[in-house]
Each structure stands twice: as structure tokens, then as C-alpha cells.
Amino acid sequence: MPINEISVHANDLLARMGYISGERLQSEDFGVFLQYWVSIDAVMVLSGAVLTGYVGAAGLVRRMSLDRCLPQFLLIKNKFRKTNHWIIISFFILCCSILYIYHGEVSVLGGVYTLSF
């Protein structure tokens, strides 16, 4: 892709790259198909990354609480699901605080994630 086209399509760069690749390989219809395919795949990868983040953070904080590096109240388990709900809630608050600090503008972080994808 030319540099000027990257700056124009900054919000939908992955989808645009899929479209151009499909258009050059087969036809415009295949480009549209590949555009949607890449977008759906990106949503699934992002969902997996969020789930992995929660599982990883819960495991790390639980282990650190068991080693007495973090407060013991984090080890309290939910009666119904047997999960450490204080760890999950704390991680959610931490993620929301990042969003609050950036005033909802996470385009820099989104750009890093797009390029790494």
C-alpha cells in the first residue's frame, strides 16, 4: 500500500489491506469478501486477547495473593461460580481507568495493536 493511502485509511487499515489484496488476486468481489473476512478475524483475535488478559491477570494476581505479595481478600471466592471475583473486578477497573486516563482516545493503542496484528 502506498503511504498516502495508509494515512487516509487509518481507521480501517486492515480491512482496506484485505480489500486490496483480494482485488489484486482475484476480483473486486473477492476483495470485498476478504475485507469482511479480515475484519471478522480481527474481532475474534481481539476477543481472544481480552479473554487471555483476564485469565492471565486472574492467575497472576491469585498466585501473588497466595504468596502474600498482594492482599488476601483477593482470594475470596464467589459461592456460585467458585471464581475470585475481586480479582476480576479489579482488573476490569484497571482497564477502565486506562480508558478514563486517555479520555476515551485510544487510537495510539489501537494503532499499535493493528500493526502487531
Side-chain angles (χ1 to χ4, degrees):
M1 285 183 73
I3 296 294
N4 60 352
E5 196 166 341
I6 290 174
S7 62
V8 170
H9 295 283
N11 292 333
D12 60 345
L13 183 61
L14 286 176
R16 183 66 181 163
M17 286 175 59
Y19 177 76
I20 290 173
S21 299
E23 185 181 49
R24 289 186 182 166
L25 289 175
Q26 299 285 332
S27 65
E28 187 175 332
D29 292 336
F30 187 67
V32 171
F33 167 75
L34 203 55
Q35 179 180 10
Y36 284 112
W37 183 264
V38 168
S39 299
I40 290 169
D41 184 54
V43 168
M44 290 184 345
V45 168
L46 182 61
S47 300
V50 170
L51 180 63
T52 302
Y54 269 98
V55 170
L60 176 66
V61 171
R62 184 176 183 280
R63 184 72 241 172
M64 289 180 72
S65 294
L66 287 170
D67 291 342
R68 298 188 184 273
C69 296
L70 291 174
Q72 297 295 300
F73 80 90
L74 293 170
L75 294 174
I76 297 172
K77 290 192 175 195
N78 188 340
K79 294 177 184 177
F80 301 109
R81 300 266 182 190
K82 307 290 189 250
T83 58
N84 302 104
H85 59 281
W86 289 116
I87 296 173
I88 296 169
I89 292 169
S90 301
F91 187 69
F92 177 75
I93 291 171
L94 177 69
C95 292
C96 288
S97 68
I98 292 171
L99 188 65
Y100 178 75
I101 289 169
Y102 283 105
H103 304 289
E105 294 289 329
V106 291
S107 59
V108 175
L109 296 173
V112 170
Y113 187 78
T114 300
L115 292 176
S116 68
F117 175 73

